[in-house]
């Protein structure tokens, strides 16, 4: 299922890590995933029932180039 969040909300959401980079819907490997991915560090934040869970403890680690996630 594709993440569908208000475009204005997506404009203001950012990764809670120190780099505070913008987030994008899906992952590089699966653009339809219910995840928001940091454009800088690559962490994935789950979207549960339409609500982004932007907690570092809940994030999936970034996938190194060449690995599949």
């Amino acid at each position: 299922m594709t993440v569908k969040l208000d475009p204005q909300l997506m404009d203001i959401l950012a990764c809670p890590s120190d780099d505070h980079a913008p987030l994008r819907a899906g992952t590089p490997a699966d653009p339809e995933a219910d995840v928001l991915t940091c454009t800088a560090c690559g962490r994935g934040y789950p979207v549960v029932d339409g609500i982004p869970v932007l907690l570092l403890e809940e994030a999936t680690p970034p996938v190194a180039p060449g690995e599949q996630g």
Side-chain angles (χ1 to χ4, degrees), residues 1 4 6 9 14 25:
M1 182 186 266
K4 294 188 186 204
D6 185 297
L9 178 61

Side-chain angles (χ1 to χ4, degrees), residues 3 7-9 13 15-16 38 43 45 56 62 67 69:
V3 174
Q8 289 179 322
L9 178 61
L13 287 179
C15 180
C38 177
R43 287 182 183 93
Y45 297 93
L56 288 172
E67 291 183 21

Side-chain angles (χ1 to χ4, degrees), residues 23-34:
L23 300 169
R24 68 171 177 264
T27 66
D30 183 6
E32 301 291 314
D34 283 339

Side-chain angles (χ1 to χ4, degrees), residues 31-67:
E32 301 291 314
D34 283 339
V35 173
L36 295 177
T37 302
C38 177
T39 57
C41 70
R43 287 182 183 93
Y45 297 93
V47 178
V48 180
D49 294 329
I51 300 170
V53 181
L54 299 178
L55 300 171
L56 288 172
E57 305 84 44
E58 298 293 323
T60 56
V63 177
E67 291 183 21

